[in-house]
Amino acid sequence: MGNNGLMGKFNHFAEKLMRIAQFQMLWVVFSLCGGVILGIMPATVGLYTVMRKWMVGNAENRSFVKLYWTTFRKEFWKANALGFAITIAGVLIYLNFSLIRFSHGVTYWFLLIFVFMLCILFIILLLFIFPVYAHFDTKFGRYFSISLLIGVSFPFHTLLMVVGNYGLYLLFMTVPGFIPIFSVSLFSFFSMWVSMKVFKSMDEIKESDSVKKPSKIKGLFQNNLRPVTNNKGNLDSST
């Protein structure tokens, strides 16, 4: 009995690893379809989208490939615009960081603190932007504000994501052979797993009747914010 239970858990774990490896292969293929430069962002959006659908209970191989292709095609330019905006933000932060060495006295410390805060916000943005993009159907600009709001409002999950991603980085540095098989997809799996817990907490906040007067954070979560539906790449018909 114990052996059967252990074997069942092992098989379940192996199936998950195979699925993650499959998603990694799809990410590589679709990145190449976009000529790498234009393919990475829509392929990454597709990766998080199928990862989300997998986590909400869909397990059909054919539907994953179809969903990946549909998302890649429909979100191609929007995803690249997302990547362009993130790149510009990163470059601006780097330029501000470069200015620090030319500063002295109070100006130096002011710029140092300012850039340090920008770096923290940028890291939060990178952690949540793709899960938020895959999960919510909203205006383009709101993906950035929602990602930052979630990261600040759920510090434990943000810290968990930082520590977990750093742990995965150490794993891949220790065993480089895992990089072509699991690297991007495993980061995506962990980030989406943590984010889904955050989204569940947000739903509980939204549905809570314990507070008569909604808080500012609760109001921001409720304001025109809804999970994806069929009108965004047929992402999920169950939410």
Side-chain angles (χ1 to χ4, degrees):
M1 186 74 176
N3 290 335
N4 291 334
L6 183 62
M7 184 59 67
K9 290 181 179 179
F10 176 78
N11 289 335
H12 182 67
F13 178 73
E15 288 176 2
K16 282 185 175 293
L17 285 182
M18 290 295 293
R19 181 71 70 191
I20 291 172
Q22 177 193 23
F23 290 160
Q24 174 84 9
M25 181 183 67
L26 289 173
W27 181 83
V28 172
V29 170
F30 280 97
S31 294
L32 293 175
C33 287
V36 180
I37 294 177
L38 292 179
I40 288 179
M41 291 303 295
T44 302
V45 168
L47 175 63
Y48 277 86
T49 300
V50 297
M51 198 69 74
R52 173 189 178 271
K53 184 135 189 174
W54 181 35
M55 290 182 179
V56 297
N58 189 293
E60 298 178 8
N61 287 326
R62 186 173 298 178
S63 69
F64 283 134
V65 176
K66 182 179 178 181
L67 175 61
Y68 213 128
W69 164 243
T70 302
T71 304
F72 181 86
R73 180 171 52 86
K74 289 189 175 182
E75 303 293 327
F76 186 85
W77 294 113
K78 193 175 178 181
N80 275 295
L82 183 73
F84 180 76
I86 292 173
T87 302
I88 292 298
V91 170
L92 290 176
I93 292 175
Y94 174 78
L95 291 177
N96 278 279
F97 183 79
S98 300
L99 291 175
I100 294 178
R101 58 183 177 179
F102 299 108
S103 306
H104 305 281
V106 177
T107 304
Y108 170 83
W109 290 107
F110 175 79
L111 285 175
L112 183 64
I113 295 173
F114 176 70
V115 173
F116 179 73
M117 292 177 64
L118 285 179
C119 287
I120 292 177
L121 292 176
F122 186 66
I123 291 172
I124 291 174
L125 178 67
L126 292 179
L127 290 173
F128 287 100
I129 189 66
F130 289 108
V132 166
Y133 190 93
H135 187 74
F136 293 111
D137 183 14
T138 187
K139 296 179 180 179
F140 182 79
R142 291 205 68 210
Y143 289 117
F144 300 91
S145 59
I146 293 168
S147 299
L148 292 174
L149 177 62
I150 289 176
V152 173
S153 302
F154 295 88
F156 171 77
H157 294 84
T158 301
L159 182 61
L160 175 62
M161 200 177 290
V162 170
V163 173
N165 283 322
Y166 182 68
L168 290 176
Y169 167 78
L170 293 179
L171 171 65
F172 292 128
M173 292 300 99
T174 304
V175 190
F178 285 166
I179 294 177
I181 306 174
F182 296 114
S183 57
V184 179
S185 58
L186 199 54
F187 279 113
S188 171
F189 173 81
F190 179 74
S191 298
M192 201 70 223
W193 178 75
V194 175
S195 297
M196 291 300 286
K197 293 186 177 297
V198 173
F199 301 149
K200 182 179 179 181
S201 297
M202 289 171 61
D203 288 337
E204 292 173 354
I205 292 173
K206 186 176 179 180
E207 297 172 0
S208 175
D209 295 325
S210 59
V211 181
K212 294 182 180 180
K213 186 176 181 180
S215 64
K216 184 179 291 186
I217 291 178
K218 182 178 178 180
L220 287 171
F221 285 157
Q222 290 178 323
N223 186 25
N224 297 324
L225 188 60
R226 60 189 184 279
V228 291
T229 55
N230 288 340
N231 62 355
K232 185 182 178 183
N234 292 324
L235 301 186
D236 186 17
S237 60
S238 64
T239 54

